[in-house]
C-alpha cells in the first residue's frame, strides 16, 4: 500500500506492524518522533507493547536488554549523545547475544553540540558487536527495520541490530513509501522463540555474569563468528523480503558500476545526491559509478573488493571524522578490503557533511573531476581531505 | 538613584532569546542577573554551568563564565569547578528533565555531599525542548507526548528530595511570585553548602497545550492561585495539598559543606 511518511514515522509504523513486546523510550532529537508515534499506538491499543518511559538512554537500553533476556522482543530508538550514553550497554546486549532492534537516527555526536546529521554517533559504536544497516531514504529505513528481527534473531546470528538513517534528511522529510500489509509483516518476522530465557522453568538462567579468563575469549570468538555468519543471513533475509515486497537488497548497492572507471563509496542519504551526479556524468561520457554501503557491520570487505576491482580511481566519502589522523572509518576499512587485489585502484578519502554541512551534486561532480585527474596522471595528491570548509581553499 | 537591572550580566547581542512566549525562563534569567548584580558578583568570579534543554540554553544569554555540558551532567561538572576553585560562585541551571530525570542521580549526590553550589531548577513539568515528553516531575495523569492518555507514574517532590539528601538550603517558588524568586535566589547564592531553588514555570507550548491550560496567562493565573506558603499549606487536606504548590524557604541550615569537610580531612592527614 502506498503512503507518504517521514523516515521517523515509517520506522514507528514498522514497529507498530511488528508489535514488539517492549519498547524502552527516551527522547532525543532527531529520533524523538519514533517513541512519540509509538506512544500513540500504545495508548490507542493498536499494539500490545509495554511502552516504558524511562529517565535516560542508559535506562532505555537496560529495559530492552532485560526484556529481551526474558524472551521478549524489544525495540528502541535514539540518536547521537543518546547512543553514546548507551555505550556500555551496547556491548552487553551484543555479548549476551540479545537480538534487540534499535533505530539509530544519525546525528553528530557532541561537541560542539549540534543536532544535525552525520555518522559520528553510530560509527563510534561500530565495534560494539551490533549489526549495522544504513538507509538511503525512508523506504529503506522502513524495510531495514522490518528485516532487523529475522536477521538478528536467527540461531546462527543472535546479535542486536542497529538500523540507521540520516537525521532530519531522512527522519523528517516526507517521501512516498510502499508499506507492506501488517499480516505480511507478521508472517515475515514470525514469532520470537529463543531457546533460553530468564524465568524459563525448565532451565534457570543467569544472564551477564562474570566471565573468567579461561572462558572469556571463547565467548568473544563465538560473538565474532556470529558476526561473520550474519553476512549470509542478511542476504537470505533480503531474498525473502524481495518475495513479499519486490524490493531487492544486498550488502551494498552498486549504481552504474558495470563498467565504471571512477567510483564513489559512501553511506546513507548522500547516495541520492551522488546518483544524480553519476547520471549527469554518464550523459557526458564519464564512466562514473557509485557503491552505497548498506551493511557496515558485518563489513562486506571481499564483496566490496570485487565490486571495485575494475575501477581506476575510488573516492571513499566518510560522513564522520574518526580522528585516526589517517582518514575516516569507511576509508580505513574499504582500503584494507582492497589490499588483496592484484591491481588496486587509486584511492582517496573525503570527509564531508559533518554536523549537517550540505553536500550538493556539484560537490560530488568535483570529487569525480579529481578522480578523473588522478586516473589520468597517476598523481593522487592529498590522500585525506575535508570537503566544503568555509575557511580553506577548496580541495574537493 | 540607580536601579538594579542585571544588564551587565546579559549578553545583549544574543537577544531576543529563543524561548517561547509565555515561558518562564526569561523571568528566572532576569532575577538571576539582577541578583548577581545585587551581590556584586563579577564575570571573573562567577561560573554558570548548564546542561541540555530549554533552560540549558540560559548560558547563551549570560556574560559570566559558562560551561554548557551534556544532558543531565551540569552538577558533576559544577562539582569539579567548585572542588578545584572553592572561591568561585558556581551556579548550575537545570530543568526538571536535565536536573531530576536523566541527571537525578547527580542531584541527590550533590545534595548529599553538600557542596557549595547553587542549583536553580526551572520545573516546567515536561521535556520542553524535545517536544513535551514526560519527565520525573510530570504530574500523575498529565498528558505529554509520551503519555498520550495520562501519566501512570508519580512525580518527584524535588524539594523534598534535596532536603532528604542533605541540602543546606531549599526553596520553592513560581515565576508568578517574583519577589520570592529574587529573595530565594539571593539566599541560595549566599548560603554555603548545596542550595536548591525550584522554580515552577509554565510551558504553554508543550505542557499547557496538551493539558488544556491555555493561553499562557491561564498558566500564570493557575500558579498564582495554587501557590501557598507553609502556614496555609499545612492547614489544607491531603487532597487539597495535591492541588497546591508549597512555596517559600523550606530548609535553611548550616551543616558543613564539602570543601570544609575536605579541608578538615586534608589537614588531619597532613599532621600525621
Amino acid at each position: 500500500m502506498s503512503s507518504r511518511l517521514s523516515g521517523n514515522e515509517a520506522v514507528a509504523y514498522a514497529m507498530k506492524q511488528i508489535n514488539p513486546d517492549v519498547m524502552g523510550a527516551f527522547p532525543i532529537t532527531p529520533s524523538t518522533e519514533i517513541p512519540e508515534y509509538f506512544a500513540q499506538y500504545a495508548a490507542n491499543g493498536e499494539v500490545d507493547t509495554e511502552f516504558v518511559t524511562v529517565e535516560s538512554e542508559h535506562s532505555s537500553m537496560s529495559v530492552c536488554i532485560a526484556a529481551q533476556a526474558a524472551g521478549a522482543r524489544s525495540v528502541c530508538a535514539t540518536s547521537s549523545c543518546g547512543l553514546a550514553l548507551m555505550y556500555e550497554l551496547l556491548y552487553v546486549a551484543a555479548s549476551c547475544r540479545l537480538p534487540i532492534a534499535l533505530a539509530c537516527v544519525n546525528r553528530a555526536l557532541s561537541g560542539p553540540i549540534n543536532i544535525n546529521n552525520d555518522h559520528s554517533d553510530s560509527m563510534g559504536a561500530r565495534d560494539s558487536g551490533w549489526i549495522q544497516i544504513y538507509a538511503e531514504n525512508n523506504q529503506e529505513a522502513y524495510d531495514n527495520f522490518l528485516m532487523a528481527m529475522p536477521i538478528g534473531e536467527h540461531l546462527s546470528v543472535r546479535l542486536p541490530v542497529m538500523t540507521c538513517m540520516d537525521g532530519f534528511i531522512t527522519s523528517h522529510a516526507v517521501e512516498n513509501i510502499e508499506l507492506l500489509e501488517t499480516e505480511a509483516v507478521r508472517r515475515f518476522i514470525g514469532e520470537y522463540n529463543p531457546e533460553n530465557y530468564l524465568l524459563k522453568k525448565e532451565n534457570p538462567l543467569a544472564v551477564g555474569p562474570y566471565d573468567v579468563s579461561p572462558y572469556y575469549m571463547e565467548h568473544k570468538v563465538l560473538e565474532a563468528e556470529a558476526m561473520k555468519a550474519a553476512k549470509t543471513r542478511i542476504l537470505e533475509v533480503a531474498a525473502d523480503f524481495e518475495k513479499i515486497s519486490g524490493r531487492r537488497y544486498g550488502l551494498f548497492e552498486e549504481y552504474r558500476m558495470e563498467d565504471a572507471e571512477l567510483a564513489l563509496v559512501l553511506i546513507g542519504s548522500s547516495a541520492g545526491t551522488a546518483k544524480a551526479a553519476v547520471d549527469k556524468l554518464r550523459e557526458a561520457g564519464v564512466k562514473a559509478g557509485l557503491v552505497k554501503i548498506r551493511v557496515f557491520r558485518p563489513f562486506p570487505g571481499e564483496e566490496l573488493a570485487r565490486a571495485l576491482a575494475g575501477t581506476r580511481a575510488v573516492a571513499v566519502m566518510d560522513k564522520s571524522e574518526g580522528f585516526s589522523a589517517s582518514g575516516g572509518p569507511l576509508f580505513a576499512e574499504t582500503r584494507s578490503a582492497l589490499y588483496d587485489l592484484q591491481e588496486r585502484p587509486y584511492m582517496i578519502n573525503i570527509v564531508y557533511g559533518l554536523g549537517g554541512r550540505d553536500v550538493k551534486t556539484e560537490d560530488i561532480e568535483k570529487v569525480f573531476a579529481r578522480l578523473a585527474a588522478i586516473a589520468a596522471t597517476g598523481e593522487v595528491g592529498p590522500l585525506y581531505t575535508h570537503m566544503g570548509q568555509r575557511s580553506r581553499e577548496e580541495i574537493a | 538613584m540607580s536601579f538594579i537591572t542585571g544588564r551587565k550580566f546579559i549578553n545583549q547581542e544574543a537577544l531576543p532569546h529563543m524561548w517561547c512566549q509565555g515561558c518562564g525562563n526569561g523571568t528566572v534569567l532576569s532575577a538571576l542577573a539582577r541578583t548577581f548584580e545585587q551581590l556584586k558578583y563579577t564575570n571573573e568570579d562567577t561560573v554558570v554551568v548548564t546542561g541540555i534543554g530549554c533552560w540549558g540554553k540560559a548560558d547563551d544569554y549570560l556574560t559570566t563564565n559558562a560551561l554548557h555540558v551534556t544532558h543531565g551532567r551540569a552538577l558533576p561538572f559544577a562539582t569539579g569547578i567548585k572542588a578545584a576553585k572553592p572561591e568561585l560562585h558556581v551556579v548550575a541551571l537545570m530543568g526538571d528533565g536535565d536536573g531530576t530525570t536523566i541527571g537525578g542521580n547527580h542531584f541527590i549526590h550533590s545534595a548529599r555531599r553538600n557542596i557549595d553550589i547553587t542549583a536553580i531548577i526551572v520545573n516546567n513539568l515536561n521535556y520542553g525542548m524535545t517536544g513535551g515528553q514526560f519527565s520525573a516531575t510530570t504530574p500523575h495523569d498529565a498528558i505529554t507526548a509520551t503519555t498520550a492518555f495520562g501519566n501512570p507514574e508519580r512525580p518527584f517532590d524535588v524539594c523534598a528530595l534535596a532536603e532528604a539528601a542533605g541540602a543546606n538550603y531549599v526553596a520553592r517558588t513560581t515565576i508568578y511570585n517574583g519577589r520570592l524568586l529574587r529573595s530565594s535566589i539571593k539566599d541560595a547564592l549566599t548560603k554555603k553548602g548545596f542550595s536548591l531553588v525550584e522554580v515552577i514555570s509554565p510551558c504553554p507550548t508543550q505542557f499547557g497545550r496538551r493539558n488544556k491550560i491555555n493561553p499562557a496567562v491561564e498558566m500564570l493565573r493557575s500558579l498564582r492561585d495554587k501557590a501557598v506558603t507553609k502556614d496555609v499549606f499545612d492547614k489544607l487536606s491531603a487532597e487539597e495539598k495535591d492541588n497546591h504548590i508549597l512555596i517559600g524557604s523550606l530548609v535553611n541550615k548550616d551543616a558543613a559543606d564539602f570543601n570544609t569537610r575536605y579541608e578538615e580531612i586534608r589537614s588531619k592527614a597532613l599532621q600525621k
Side-chain angles (χ1 to χ4, degrees), chain A residues 51-358:
Chain A
F51 181 77
V52 190
T53 49
V54 292
E55 71 289 347
S56 78
E57 290 88 352
H58 196 275
S59 299
S60 62
M61 184 46 65
S62 300
V63 162
C64 289
I65 287 173
Q68 197 85 27
R73 265 192 177 133
S74 50
V75 298
C76 202
T78 196
S79 297
S80 184
C81 303
L83 188 69
L85 192 53
M86 289 179 182
Y87 191 68
E88 65 170 325
L89 298 157
L90 294 178
Y91 282 72
V92 172
S95 62
C96 290
R97 312 294 297 277
L98 300 170
I100 297 157
L102 168 72
C104 174
V105 182
N106 286 114
R107 161 187 154 182
L109 186 54
S110 298
I113 299 172
N114 179 295
I115 59 166
N116 296 299
N117 169 243
D118 67 35
H119 298 153
S120 51
D121 50 0
S122 59
M123 279 296 156
R126 67 185 182 274
D127 296 340
S128 61
W130 282 62
I131 290 167
Q132 286 192 338
I133 306 178
Y134 289 80
E136 174 186 335
N137 51 39
N138 302 3
Q139 184 74 62
E140 293 186 7
Y142 171 77
D143 292 351
N144 288 345
F145 199 85
L146 293 180
M147 283 183 265
M149 284 164 190
I151 293 168
E153 291 170 4
H154 194 261
L155 279 181
S156 66
V157 180
R158 288 185 292 188
L159 286 174
V161 181
M162 191 183 297
T163 66
C164 306
M165 67 169 138
D166 285 343
F168 293 108
I169 300 166
T170 309
S171 67
H172 282 60
V174 174
E175 291 181 333
N176 290 332
I177 189 167
E178 287 295 325
L179 301 170
L180 297 174
E181 298 296 335
T182 299
E183 275 310 301
V185 168
R186 301 263 166 97
R187 273 198 307 276
F188 175 69
I189 62 161
E191 288 288 320
Y192 178 49
N193 291 314
E195 294 164 285
N196 297 303
Y197 48 87
L198 292 172
L199 306 180
K200 185 179 178 186
K201 204 168 56 181
E202 305 80 8
N203 182 19
L205 183 70
V207 175
Y210 185 78
D211 198 356
V212 293
S213 303
Y215 292 96
Y216 181 86
M217 195 159 166
E218 280 68 18
H219 287 134
K220 298 317 279 187
V221 172
L222 287 173
E223 204 181 327
E225 293 296 334
M227 187 58 89
K228 285 188 210 164
K231 213 192 263 185
T232 309
R233 182 60 190 162
I234 288 166
L235 293 174
E236 283 170 8
V237 172
D240 290 344
F241 188 76
E242 188 181 355
K243 284 178 203 149
I244 61 164
S245 69
R247 294 186 287 278
R248 175 176 295 190
Y249 290 101
L251 300 170
F252 48 79
E253 179 189 346
E254 296 180 62
Y255 187 75
R256 308 194 79 163
M257 284 297 293
E258 317 80 61
D259 58 346
E261 293 178 352
L262 313 177
L264 297 188
V265 179
L266 52 72
I267 293 176
S269 62
S270 311
T273 312
K275 285 172 184 172
V278 166
D279 288 345
K280 197 174 162 191
L281 289 167
R282 283 277 176 176
E283 278 174 32
V286 179
K287 289 187 173 176
L290 166 73
V291 175
K292 178 190 81 190
I293 301 291
R294 173 173 175 256
V295 177
F296 186 75
R297 284 288 180 269
F299 191 72
E302 291 159 26
E303 296 83 354
L304 193 55
R306 281 199 291 277
L308 295 170
T311 60
R312 296 178 61 202
V314 174
V316 179
M317 297 186 62
D318 266 288
K319 216 172 192 177
S320 66
E321 171 34 50
F323 304 106
S324 75
S326 57
L330 181 57
F331 179 59
E333 307 225 2
T334 305
R335 206 171 179 223
S336 170
L338 268 57
Y339 185 78
D340 291 327
L341 288 178
Q342 292 292 324
E343 285 186 41
R344 293 186 289 268
Y346 297 109
M347 289 188 83
I348 54 170
N349 182 212
I350 293 167
V351 174
Y352 76 105
L354 302 184
R357 181 67 50 93
D358 200 15

Side-chain angles (χ1 to χ4, degrees), chain B residues 155-218:
Chain B
F156 266 140
D157 179 333
V158 179
C159 289
L161 196 61
E163 178 179 4
N168 259 0
Y169 180 83
V170 177
R172 185 188 288 115
T173 178
T174 81
I175 68 145
Y176 182 83
N177 306 86
R179 290 165 74 93
L180 180 62
L181 175 63
R182 276 281 300 280
S183 66
S184 302
I185 291 176
K186 184 180 166 213
D187 291 347
L189 286 168
T190 48
K191 170 65 69 177
K192 197 163 194 179
F194 189 77
S195 321
L196 165 72
V197 180
E198 181 192 8
V199 189
I200 310 293
S201 175
C203 177
T205 305
Q206 302 293 356
F207 193 85
R209 177 171 56 89
R210 286 199 177 82
N211 291 281
K212 308 277 183 277
I213 320 169
N214 45 30
V217 71
E218 270 313 310

Side-chain angles (χ1 to χ4, degrees), chain B residues 74-93:
Chain B
L75 283 169
F77 281 91
T79 299
I81 295 166
K82 190 68 191 183
K85 291 265 181 192
E87 67 274 23
L88 294 175
H89 307 296
V90 182
V91 184
L93 306 181

